Amino acid sequence: MALRRLSLLLPMLLLLPGAYFALNPVAALPDAQQALIALMPYVLGLTVAMLAIGFRRSRILLAALNLCVAYALIRCGLQTSLDNPDAYVLFSALSLLLPMNTALIALFNERGVFTPTGLRQLALLTPGYLLILLLDAGNWLGYLLPWLPMSMLEMLYLETYLSQAAAWIFGLSLLPVLVSLYLRRAPADAALLASLVAAVVMLLWFDRPLISALFVSAALLVLATAVIQSSYSMAFIDELTEIPGRRALYTKINTLGRVYTIAMIDIDRFKQFNDRYGHDTGDQVLRMVAAKIAKVQGGGRAYRYGGEEFTILFPGKTEPQARLYLEEVREVVANYPMRIRSPQRPEDTKQGKQQRNQVDASEVVKVTISIGFCEKAEHHQDADEVIKEADQALYSAKKAGRNCTRSAGEKGSRGMASYRKSNV
């Protein structure tokens, strides 16, 4: 789980520092090349928007629009000294709008792009920017300077350009972004965090040449990466168990060499378990088994094949080599004491805690798995035939009493004496 969170943050950890280290080299470029870099956010913004629309990622689209509109206002109205009243009021307004809109997007759910909900979400982000455009068109921005509170006139640190009020807004906006990232673990939330960090760095050192172009571009690249990560997860990662699914299995199989072993795994008596305790508990069992087999050693990789069936793929391993690791997995699952939550949980938190501390033995159940596995041989024309024989070995394990492991070469035998059987 920690590795997955790190992978979500990896694009931000690479691209934002990259933008920072590019500041000095970019400042030394000829004017013509700097002009091209200044156009880069518009190109990237259009690209991200097309990806977001194509894959129906509404929050990614809104985050890209938030950055691009702010960047357009910077290019049009902030290419002058902030001593100008119009420029300072515009800068102050953007330093508040950027983080507030980012926090608002973090609270949204994915409801499509051109759906009624998606359009309502877009409408919530537009009033601030529309007001700025109207005030700017009437040359009224500068008249608001005397009305700004002192916290928007005093900088957070000397030689920086972020006001104390903006710093508070950024800090408050960070909370919903971090909470959403923790709860959802979605690439879009990691990209929103990158957008927020890029905005605060850009505004802190606003006088650096092309800092807005570089950091907005970096944030947009993180957003584009988030679309790709989300699309990959939808196609290849099983949503319930959070391990790769069947499509990922067959994609991996196509890259294997001549030697590999495939294991088919089935949860014993899962239907009876599901009927007795309910589908929510059944889902809990699936997640538990997936978490255990995902830790298989020996270079094995776990997949959810479908229903209560899982697959473990061992590239470069023979049946005898894979057997040891499969037995370890089977024993880990069989020895795990799974507690079933009472269907009559009290609403009061204190009573619920007391009930959890007084769990009956009957509420602790034993979940077991049966495993059949097969090594790729010369007579197998493709991986489907290997899977078929592994499935037949799985049936043999079920017939032998469940909670045991069978290889394709011993389907008709009783197997090793160490195999343990259970009727649970």
Side-chain angles (χ1 to χ4, degrees):
M1 196 66 69
L3 185 61
R4 185 183 177 189
R5 287 198 178 100
L6 180 61
S7 68
L8 293 177
L9 297 175
L10 189 60
M12 179 186 76
L13 297 176
L14 293 175
L15 290 167
L16 295 189
Y20 177 80
F21 288 117
L23 285 172
N24 289 332
V26 165
L29 292 175
D31 291 343
Q33 295 183 17
Q34 290 190 18
L36 289 176
I37 292 174
L39 293 175
M40 192 163 52
Y42 298 120
V43 177
L44 290 173
L46 180 61
T47 303
V48 174
M50 293 174 64
L51 286 171
I53 293 172
F55 289 98
R56 299 179 182 179
R57 303 286 93 187
S58 61
R59 295 197 300 155
I60 297 291
L61 176 62
L62 294 175
L65 290 175
N66 186 40
L67 287 171
C68 288
V69 172
Y71 180 73
L73 289 171
I74 289 172
R75 294 299 302 173
C76 295
L78 292 178
Q79 301 306 301
T80 183
S81 172
L82 293 184
D83 291 335
N84 183 305
D86 288 323
Y88 187 82
V89 173
L90 175 58
F91 177 83
S92 300
L94 290 178
S95 68
L96 302 180
L97 267 179
L98 264 173
M100 288 192 297
N101 281 349
T102 303
L104 195 58
I105 296 169
L107 298 176
F108 291 158
N109 293 318
E110 292 288 353
R111 291 292 185 267
V113 176
F114 298 115
T115 62
T117 302
L119 295 176
R120 282 195 296 269
Q121 291 174 350
L122 177 60
L124 289 174
L125 301 180
T126 55
Y129 288 119
L130 287 176
L131 181 60
I132 289 176
L133 290 172
L134 288 173
L135 292 173
D136 185 51
N139 295 319
W140 296 328
L141 282 173
Y143 293 105
L144 297 178
L145 184 60
W147 298 92
L148 295 182
M150 188 58 64
S151 60
M152 294 183 67
L153 299 175
E154 295 182 353
M155 297 302 103
L156 182 64
Y157 297 110
L158 293 176
E159 299 181 0
T160 63
Y161 291 84
L162 196 67
S163 68
Q164 294 178 2
W168 275 104
I169 294 298
F170 269 100
L172 292 174
S173 300
L174 181 63
L175 293 177
V177 173
L178 290 177
V179 170
S180 183
L181 176 60
Y182 177 79
L183 294 177
R184 293 172 172 168
R185 300 191 297 274
D189 294 290
L192 287 174
L193 178 61
S195 300
L196 200 62
V197 174
V200 73
V201 172
M202 173 181 71
L203 296 174
L204 270 171
W205 295 282
F206 192 69
D207 60 335
R208 299 289 297 272
L210 293 174
I211 189 171
S212 57
L214 289 173
F215 274 87
V216 169
S217 295
L220 288 169
L221 285 172
V222 177
L223 288 170
T225 305
V227 177
I228 297 171
Q229 288 178 316
S230 298
S231 303
Y232 175 85
S233 296
M234 290 177 63
F236 293 99
I237 304 299
D238 178 64
E239 184 177 3
L240 176 64
T241 60
E242 297 186 352
I243 65 173
R246 188 184 300 192
R247 181 177 294 181
L249 169 65
Y250 279 97
T251 300
K252 180 63 177 178
I253 284 175
N254 292 332
T255 67
L256 295 177
R258 292 184 176 182
V259 180
Y260 60 86
T261 296
I262 297 177
M264 299 300 293
I265 301 172
D266 188 81
I267 301 176
D268 296 330
R269 292 190 170 92
F270 180 75
K271 186 178 184 304
Q272 296 177 16
F273 190 93
N274 212 27
D275 291 342
R276 179 179 178 182
Y277 295 104
H279 293 288
D280 289 343
T281 301
D283 289 346
Q284 184 184 351
V285 171
L286 290 171
R287 285 192 289 266
M288 182 276 289
V289 172
K292 299 303 179 186
I293 68 173
K295 297 178 181 178
V296 63
Q297 301 297 308
R301 183 72 185 273
Y303 303 84
R304 187 182 182 189
Y305 195 76
E308 67 270 25
E309 275 196 306
F310 297 87
T311 302
I312 296 181
L313 185 62
F314 291 95
K317 290 288 191 296
T318 62
E319 281 186 4
Q321 292 171 329
R323 181 190 296 276
L324 173 65
Y325 305 111
L326 292 171
E327 272 294 288
E328 288 179 351
V329 166
R330 183 191 62 77
E331 290 183 1
V332 166
V333 174
N335 294 331
Y336 182 78
M338 185 163 183
R339 297 186 181 276
I340 304 301
R341 297 176 182 177
S342 172
Q344 297 179 342
R345 294 191 295 272
E347 295 183 2
D348 182 75
T349 304
K350 186 176 181 180
Q351 292 181 9
K353 185 177 180 180
Q354 293 176 350
Q355 187 184 77
R356 287 192 297 272
N357 293 333
Q358 300 173 355
V359 180
D360 297 331
S362 61
E363 292 177 303
V364 179
V365 299
K366 184 178 181 182
V367 179
T368 62
I369 57 175
S370 297
I371 305 174
F373 62 106
C374 179
E375 176 187 346
K376 171 71 168 65
E378 292 184 1
H379 67 274
H380 295 131
Q381 295 183 359
D382 52 33
D384 284 330
E385 293 191 3
V386 183
I387 291 176
K388 183 177 180 180
E389 287 202 29
D391 223 13
Q392 292 171 353
L394 172 61
Y395 176 77
S396 177
K398 291 281 191 181
K399 192 175 181 180
R402 300 179 176 85
N403 190 25
C404 62
T405 307
R406 287 287 189 272
S407 72
E410 59 177 359
K411 288 180 292 184
S413 67
R414 295 292 295 175
M416 297 188 304
S418 63
Y419 290 161
R420 296 185 298 181
K421 303 174 184 178
S422 172
N423 291 322
V424 177

